Amino acid sequence: MTTTGEDHAEAPPPGAGPWWWGRLRSAVLDVGLGVASALECGAEGVRFARDAGVPVASGVVFGVLAGSVLVLRRRWPIAVVLVSIAVMPAQMGFLMGIVGLYTLAASELPRRIIASLAGMSFVGMLIVAFVWARQGAANGDVTVGDWVVPFASLTTALGMTAPPLLLGLYVGARRRLMESLRERADSLERELQLLAERAEERAEWARNEERTRIAREMHDVVAHRVSLMVVHAAALQAVARKDPEKAVRNAALVGDMGRQALTELREMLGVLRSGGVRAERAQRAVVPLAAVGVAAAAAADRGLSGGGDDGAAEGPCLSELDELIGQSAAAGMVVDLSVEGESRSYAPEVEQTAFRVVQEALTNVHKHAAGAKTHVRLAHRVSEIAMQVENEPPPEVGSASSARLPSGGNGLVGMKERVAALGGVFVSGPTDAGGFRVSAVIPAA
């Protein structure tokens, strides 16, 4: 397809030749055929002038003018065939008749016109050939039976009309087929280019989506533990001299949190790095970013659940909420957990999303409302699971920033994306009492 398109692109455009010719080569060919036909008709005009009793010069001029019409065969093929039929009784224009009939058959004219003119040419040639044969037999030039004259006439007429007609039809059909194939190849090439552009756009969109997903996973998994580390470190600094035992406990908690965070980061980076190594080994094929994102999320979930070497770990689930709330309580947060409805198991992605919403909401309380009492509500309904994390106003104005926790502004966005991906509803905003509320409803199926 590419070769056909290139050949078509390199072909001279229409109008590159003089007048109506598309190419200079075509003009040279037609002029050469016109000169040959003029010479043929001019020579035959001598005999015509003698038989008609007119000056020889007149017959030659008539023959030259009639034969020169062949130059117009590409522009007016019908006219060329009609002129050849008209001069046929004068026993001239045979070359013009053959070439004109071929051009007519190869043109884009309707089939009925081609058939009509071809029939006229055949009948005219049949009559002329019959007259020649009868004249030859009458003059004694040929001594054969009576059946030879019709046979010779029919054979001559078929030989002068059938081959150029069939050849012209074949060439015209082949030309139309090539043009159709060329147009189809160009159309397919344009479609392939369009599909390639769309595929590239979809791939870029998928890469951006997976980058966002990986960033969300790392934020949800690591930010909570790092936030707790900062809170414990601030508490450790405050009680280091007053209560050494509590300072030791806080230091141990900080160490545990740091080790867990490092384990999770190591799991994620290991998956990403191993994906790059596998890509180089597989003839440097690009590993789909979607697979890397899924593997990174799975690794992060394994690290969170404490099963870094156990590939069967499913990640966080609602049964781990008590441990999560206990960690926040150990950091000095007063957390009240209430569960409504009968607890049951859900799909892994539903439980993971519910866990992440509560985890990120608690992290935001540590960041922006340290010391505020927090209420965590979980409701098991018939076809959905609902969760709500609401914190009261912080006891002191400066307590929200005492730990100096940075915020990237991605927590609420990540929670909303997670819930929306499962067809749920996510709402967040300040309360009338001065606190903040995060609510989410996720379909159970």
Side-chain angles (χ1 to χ4, degrees):
M1 292 187 294
T2 305
T3 305
T4 304
E6 291 177 353
D7 293 341
H8 178 62
E10 294 176 359
W19 295 338
W20 59 83
W21 287 286
R23 293 178 295 182
L24 181 61
R25 183 176 62 182
S26 301
V28 173
L29 176 61
D30 289 355
V31 171
L33 291 174
V35 171
S37 178
L39 293 177
E40 176 204 355
C41 293
E44 294 171 347
V46 176
R47 182 177 54 185
F48 169 73
R50 291 175 181 174
D51 294 341
V54 296
V56 176
S58 300
V60 173
V61 172
F62 174 76
V64 171
L65 292 177
S68 301
V69 177
L70 188 57
V71 178
L72 309 176
R73 71 184 186 95
R74 296 179 190 269
R75 185 65 178 270
W76 294 295
I78 297 178
V80 173
V81 175
L82 290 177
V83 171
S84 67
I85 296 174
V87 301
M88 197 176 294
Q91 301 180 4
M92 65 175 61
F94 299 106
L95 176 62
M96 180 171 55
I98 294 174
V99 177
L101 195 58
Y102 161 79
T103 306
L104 179 69
S107 65
E108 301 293 336
L109 293 173
R111 296 299 183 187
R112 63 180 183 276
I113 296 178
I114 297 175
S116 300
L117 293 177
M120 293 171 59
S121 178
F122 173 76
V123 173
M125 182 57 64
L126 180 63
I127 295 173
V128 172
F130 183 79
V131 171
W132 288 349
R134 292 289 294 179
Q135 289 178 353
N139 295 333
D141 297 337
V142 180
T143 56
V144 293
D146 294 338
W147 62 272
V148 176
V149 174
F151 178 77
S153 303
L154 183 61
T155 303
T156 304
L158 288 175
M160 294 292 290
T161 56
L165 179 65
L166 295 177
L167 181 61
L169 292 174
Y170 167 75
V171 172
R174 184 177 180 273
R175 183 185 301 147
R176 287 188 291 273
L177 176 61
M178 293 301 296
E179 291 177 358
S180 175
L181 293 177
R182 186 181 295 113
E183 292 177 358
R184 185 178 300 178
D186 294 340
S187 176
L188 289 176
E189 187 174 358
R190 289 191 297 268
E191 291 179 2
L192 287 176
Q193 291 177 355
L194 182 61
L195 290 176
E197 293 175 358
R198 291 181 178 177
E200 186 176 356
E201 293 176 358
R202 288 195 297 268
E204 183 64 25
W205 176 83
R207 286 193 293 268
N208 293 335
E209 287 293 321
E210 288 306 319
R211 290 191 186 99
T212 304
R213 179 182 178 183
I214 293 175
R216 184 170 61 244
E217 290 291 341
M218 296 185 69
H219 175 272
D220 292 347
V221 173
V222 180
H224 179 72
R225 298 195 184 280
V226 175
S227 299
L228 291 180
M229 289 172 58
V230 176
V231 172
H232 282 295
L236 177 62
Q237 183 179 5
V239 301
R241 296 181 180 179
K242 299 178 182 180
D243 192 349
E245 295 182 359
K246 188 175 181 180
V248 171
R249 291 196 300 270
N250 287 341
L253 288 174
V254 171
D256 293 338
M257 294 293 178
R259 282 187 291 271
Q260 292 175 0
L262 287 176
T263 300
E264 294 164 6
L265 285 174
R266 189 179 297 110
E267 291 285 339
M268 290 183 182
L269 296 178
V271 170
L272 295 174
R273 185 173 299 171
S274 63
V277 172
R278 287 194 299 269
E280 293 180 358
R281 291 179 179 177
Q283 298 180 355
R284 297 184 179 182
V286 179
V287 175
L289 196 54
V292 177
V294 173
D301 293 338
R302 289 197 302 270
L304 182 62
S305 61
D309 297 331
D310 185 6
E314 293 292 340
C317 56
L318 294 177
S319 61
E320 301 176 9
L321 278 181
D322 293 334
E323 181 183 355
L324 178 67
I325 292 175
Q327 293 175 354
S328 296
M333 179 188 295
V334 179
V335 187
D336 179 20
L337 173 63
S338 62
V339 180
E340 300 177 3
E342 185 178 356
S343 178
R344 64 182 187 273
S345 60
Y346 299 93
E349 58 270 15
V350 175
E351 295 206 10
Q352 292 175 16
T353 301
F355 183 90
R356 296 296 189 205
V357 169
V358 177
Q359 181 188 54
E360 180 60 27
L362 293 177
T363 303
N364 288 340
V365 175
H366 284 293
K367 291 181 180 179
H368 307 290
K373 185 176 181 180
T374 305
H375 303 275
V376 179
R377 300 179 179 89
L378 187 66
H380 299 277
R381 299 171 183 171
V382 176
S383 59
E384 61 187 14
I385 178 174
M387 65 224 65
Q388 178 178 295
V389 179
E390 180 180 352
N391 63 275
E392 299 177 358
E396 297 179 4
V397 178
S399 62
S401 58
S402 60
R404 298 177 183 177
L405 290 171
S407 177
N410 298 319
L412 295 177
V413 176
M415 285 189 285
K416 185 175 182 180
E417 290 176 351
R418 283 181 177 274
V419 174
L422 298 179
V425 179
F426 178 84
V427 179
S428 63
T431 61
D432 296 336
F436 198 85
R437 181 187 297 117
V438 173
S439 302
V441 180
I442 305 174

